[in-house]
Amino acid sequence: MFTMIRNLTLAHKIWITISLAIIGTIFFSYILSNYFYEKYYVENVRKTLQEEGSQLATNYNGGEITDQLIDQINWYNQMSEPEVLLITNPRELSACLPFDIDYESYIDEEDRERLLRGEHISKIGYEQKMGHQILGVIIPLLDGNRLEGIVYLYTPLANITDMINDITNLWIPVAILFVILSILLGRKIITTLIKPLKQLEQAAQHMSMGNYTERVEITTNDEIGKLAQAFNDMACAIAKEDERKKEFLANVSHELRTPISYVKGYSEAIVDGVVKKQEDIQRYLKLIHREAARMQRLVHDLLDLSKLESSVYNLTKVPLVFSQLIEESLAIYEPILLESEISLNMMLDPEIIIYADEDRIEQIIHNLIDNAIHYTEKGGNISVQLKKAKNNQCELIISDTGIGMDEKHLNQLGERFYRINKARTRKDGGTGLGLAIVKQIVVAHNGNISFYSKVGEGTQVHIAFQVLTN
């Protein structure tokens, strides 16, 4: 059963749901009609008979039932719609009725006790000759503690089926027309609702086969339209990520191709005996060692970046005196700066404390200083400034007087393998992963990084971190 339902199409499920809803509505209407019939119609008739009987009973003042009272009730019987009988011997009620009904119409002992207490009694039964149910009400005529007689009022109840039959001739054609219109209109509505879902299904199948250009037409602003929009956004994101993956693989292949070719060529020259002089062999071995180190750095940076981009990487955060960490990190650059004839200026606020991973923050400083030294010519200047900023933050600014760059490149700094010089020569820069690693470390510390640069005037890197407060 469940397997069959699961294999149905959405259109079939909607039709089944609508059909069950219609059947349920009809059944509920039937139950509700009977309830109101019993609750309001029958109760209203019973109340009316009781009021009429009680009014007639007020003409009885005790003692024997007089001919005058009998004449009054007979006259009322002729004038009123319900039948009214005055019975002086309640035990002979069934013999006084002009027809037989399918219940014990005489007054039994229990009824007699109720009548003696002044209560009204009502009974319902079916009368064959009339073809209707009969509602009867018995009103006692009491003389003290003695039951002298009863006023019996009865009337046929209208059958609810009769009322339905009166409108059947009109209802059937209208119902048939309604069903036809429902089929035609319902089919159109369901087709309209299902169409974008079918498009989604087809587009998802195409995407599963590697076609990420598929898009779904958005025709509505409802939930299905929002689903289609979400699907298109997802498709764009996947397509972009696929392009990034392809670009990443191409970049890795490009970066590895040169050192691998060098290592292979130099090693073959040594193995094949092409290079025989000892000094040439040593030079070739140094080149092999340099290229192997280059591949090692590339693989290390890739692994580092992969860890930082994953959500499972855990930082070991501790309170750090930021200025002290900066000074210790820059100490190793003194010989390089002297050799490059580049001056270094530091303006550091010693009171700034941050909660961060010491090794990763030191990695940020090294990568940025390496870039600054690489792109700054002899006689240039590098400035490192640490100061307090707004919103309980601190700002680290590393600026140089290097060659700078065009502003169009600033938004792409920090992307994997992005380099300004597309020639990708080792002279112009490294693998393009250093700033990507810096950006990921800053993000992992809930910080912000921004770049400012002009061609020929140098570059500034601004990094903001939250300051640790007491």
Side-chain angles (χ1 to χ4, degrees), residues 364-376:
I364 289 176
I365 298 170
H366 286 321
N367 285 356
L368 294 179
I369 294 298
D370 286 340
N371 281 348
I373 293 174
H374 184 82
Y375 292 107
T376 302

Side-chain angles (χ1 to χ4, degrees), residues 76-87:
Y76 186 82
N77 179 46
Q78 293 175 2
M79 301 298 295
S80 65
E81 183 176 347
E83 294 291 331
V84 183
L85 299 176
L86 176 59
I87 302 170

Side-chain angles (χ1 to χ4, degrees), residues 110-208:
E110 182 180 352
D111 294 334
R112 184 178 179 81
E113 292 297 324
R114 293 178 58 191
L115 291 172
L116 286 173
R117 293 195 297 269
E119 297 180 14
H120 300 172
I121 298 175
S122 62
K123 294 187 176 184
I124 297 177
Y126 185 78
E127 196 276 314
Q128 292 286 347
K129 186 180 297 183
M130 289 186 176
H132 286 291
Q133 284 187 318
I134 300 299
L135 172 60
V137 173
I138 303 171
I139 308 297
L141 300 177
L142 296 175
D143 181 18
N145 295 327
R146 182 178 177 183
L147 183 62
E148 286 292 333
I150 60 173
V151 177
Y152 184 77
L153 300 90
Y154 68 89
T155 186
L157 293 174
N159 196 325
I160 192 170
T161 306
D162 296 337
M163 291 186 287
I164 294 175
N165 289 335
D166 292 338
I167 60 172
T168 299
N169 295 331
L170 176 64
W171 181 82
I172 291 179
V174 172
I176 294 174
L177 180 62
F178 176 77
V179 170
I180 294 174
L181 290 177
S182 298
I183 292 174
L184 297 177
L185 185 60
R187 181 178 180 182
K188 185 174 180 60
I189 292 174
I190 292 175
T191 302
T192 303
L193 292 174
I194 298 300
K195 182 180 178 180
L197 296 179
K198 288 185 176 180
Q199 291 180 348
L200 281 170
E201 179 187 8
Q202 294 173 357
Q205 290 177 348
H206 291 160
M207 289 185 63
S208 68

Side-chain angles (χ1 to χ4, degrees), residues 23 49 51 53 96 146 150 158 194 224 233 240 272 293 391 459:
I23 293 173
L49 292 178
E51 289 176 353
C96 299
R146 182 178 177 183
I150 60 173
I194 298 300
I224 295 179
D233 294 342
K240 185 177 179 180
D272 294 341
N391 301 323
T459 302

Side-chain angles (χ1 to χ4, degrees), residues 32-66:
L32 197 63
S33 299
N34 280 276
Y35 170 78
F36 282 114
Y37 173 77
E38 177 68 24
K39 181 70 176 178
Y40 294 102
Y41 175 70
V42 175
E43 281 297 319
N44 185 61
V45 173
R46 180 184 289 110
K47 184 178 180 181
T48 300
L49 292 178
Q50 288 178 345
E51 289 176 353
E52 291 181 5
S54 298
Q55 187 66 30
L56 290 172
T58 59
N59 295 321
Y60 174 70
N61 298 317
E64 292 185 2
I65 296 177
T66 64

Side-chain angles (χ1 to χ4, degrees), residues 7 15 49 81 124 136 144 178 215 305 320 343 360 374 389 391 414 425 449 457:
N7 293 332
W15 271 114
L49 292 178
E81 183 176 347
I124 297 177
F178 176 77
R215 297 293 182 270
L305 187 59
L320 298 174
S343 61
R360 291 301 181 184
H374 184 82
N391 301 323
T425 62
I449 184 170
E457 296 184 12

Side-chain angles (χ1 to χ4, degrees), residues 235-246:
C236 291
I238 293 176
K240 185 177 179 180
E241 188 62 29
D242 184 63
E243 287 298 321
R244 290 182 61 189
K245 181 182 70 174
K246 292 177 181 178

